[in-house]
Amino acid sequence: NIQLPEVEGFDWDYARKFCHDNEIVLSSYRQFRDSLPEMIEEIRGLFISVEDANSRDLCRIKVHAVKSIAAGLGQLTINQLALLAEHALRDNDVERIHGLVPILLEELDKCNNIMSSVELAGDSDSNEKKEYNQAEFIQSLKLLKDTMSEFDVDLLREYIERLYTTEHKNTP
């Protein structure tokens, strides 16, 4: 079983409540790290026009996705901030939205900087096809299902692309 790196803000014991396999946790962490800059920009862009009902709903969906991913990785600060921001967006509470979303974005930026500074084994091979074992493949399909339920088309497209560029093998 692989060792998870020390990363400020991530509680691996909490993450293992959702998934007991360190390889899958690390794979999910890597996917979050790689998609985080785009997620931040999407939330930031939607927040600019958050008075518009459509932008507010899309922002809520993005924040909900961040909340779920953060929980699964044991990033509890972001999880809790996203939960509060999601409720403010759902309730159309303008004062709380303007108070919480910027703090969430600040924490996401901080998390992005921390994650970017952590070197993971295998990062240099990112252009090569990666092999997934059966458990990782099933976890990827679960992530796809969760992403579809969030209506996050961009993240869904990214996960599908990863599945297409990955070699699959069955392992016991």
Side-chain angles (χ1 to χ4, degrees), residues 71-99:
L73 290 172
Q75 210 328 328
L76 303 179
T77 301
I78 288 174
N79 170 259
Q80 291 303 301
L81 278 170
L83 174 69
L84 294 170
E86 178 187 18
H87 288 185
L89 288 157
R90 180 197 62 207
D91 298 342
N92 193 23
D93 187 330
V94 176
E95 187 176 328
R96 282 179 40 230
I97 291 169
H98 284 281

Side-chain angles (χ1 to χ4, degrees), residues 122-141:
D123 276 352
S124 59
D125 313 334
S126 60
N127 291 335
E128 296 178 17
K129 284 191 172 188
K130 295 182 177 72
E131 290 188 357
Y132 276 21
N133 64 30
Q134 190 173 19
E136 282 183 285
F137 183 68
I138 291 168
Q139 180 66 19
S140 293
L141 292 176

Side-chain angles (χ1 to χ4, degrees), residues 28-67:
S28 297
Y29 170 88
R30 198 177 251 122
Q31 288 175 358
F32 182 57
R33 179 198 64 192
D34 295 347
S35 63
L36 188 56
E38 187 176 328
M39 293 168 92
I40 292 169
E41 288 312 307
E42 288 173 347
I43 292 170
R44 189 170 277 127
L46 291 165
F47 177 65
I48 290 169
S49 56
V50 77
E51 282 75 22
D52 173 68
N54 190 43
S55 291
R56 191 171 45 256
D57 283 346
L58 290 172
C59 189
R60 182 186 52 75
I61 290 167
K62 296 287 181 189
V63 167
H64 177 83
V66 166
K67 176 192 76 173

Side-chain angles (χ1 to χ4, degrees), residues 1-17:
N1 205 5
I2 66 168
Q3 189 71 19
L4 294 169
E6 283 291 319
V7 183
E8 181 186 336
F10 288 81
D11 180 343
W12 298 129
D13 291 332
Y14 187 87
R16 280 193 283 276
K17 291 180 181 179

Side-chain angles (χ1 to χ4, degrees), residues 16-34:
R16 280 193 283 276
K17 291 180 181 179
F18 297 96
C19 179
H20 301 289
D21 187 320
N22 282 358
E23 255 185 83
I24 295 172
V25 171
L26 188 59
S27 176
S28 297
Y29 170 88
R30 198 177 251 122
Q31 288 175 358
F32 182 57
R33 179 198 64 192
D34 295 347

